[in-house]
Amino acid sequence: MAKQSTSRPYSETRLAKFVEKRILELKSRKTQSLISSEAGFAQHNMLTNIKAGSSKLPLDRVPALAKALECDPALLFMMAVEQLGGDTTELAIRKIFGTLVTENETAWLEEIRKASNYSDPSLTSRARAALRGIFGK
């Protein structure tokens, strides 16, 4: 991992990289300024700062930014929590809400349920190996 500058402490976070990628993916339909407006940022440079890693994403901005970026708010929330640092915040969220699940993860879970005839199968070492094989691990 590259060394982070003190003026860009969040530059190597998943969130900074994700926001930059989504802005590029939406470039043909939306400007960065439009995304920033849709997200409700009073200062349009806030999105630039988040993308560059000089600012973290405030948790109260997650739903609006997820909508503006056309992405899963649960995924964006998880990445914003990672930026907070420390395990205590993440642990508190898990204790209160359980494991957060993205829309894509929910689709995987539904498919596993259907494939197993809703039998609640145990995760055996063979099943784990098969699942990891799908992802080349």
Side-chain angles (χ1 to χ4, degrees), residues 35-56:
I35 293 168
S36 187
S37 289
E38 288 179 356
F41 290 121
Q43 298 177 333
H44 287 266
N45 68 336
M46 183 62 177
L47 189 56
T48 299
N49 293 341
I50 290 169
K51 182 176 81 168
S54 51
S55 295
K56 61 185 171 191

Side-chain angles (χ1 to χ4, degrees), residues 35-107:
I35 293 168
S36 187
S37 289
E38 288 179 356
F41 290 121
Q43 298 177 333
H44 287 266
N45 68 336
M46 183 62 177
L47 189 56
T48 299
N49 293 341
I50 290 169
K51 182 176 81 168
S54 51
S55 295
K56 61 185 171 191
L57 175 61
L59 295 180
D60 65 332
R61 300 282 46 178
V62 168
L65 183 57
K67 186 174 182 181
L69 291 174
E70 301 173 16
C71 69
D72 186 345
L75 176 63
L76 197 62
F77 181 79
M78 286 188 285
M79 291 187 282
V81 168
E82 287 172 8
Q83 282 190 324
L84 296 175
D87 295 332
T88 55
T89 303
E90 196 170 342
L91 181 60
I93 289 168
R94 279 206 183 126
K95 283 187 174 186
I96 295 167
F97 299 106
T99 300
L100 298 176
V101 180
T102 67
E103 290 176 19
N104 287 333
E105 290 168 334
T106 299

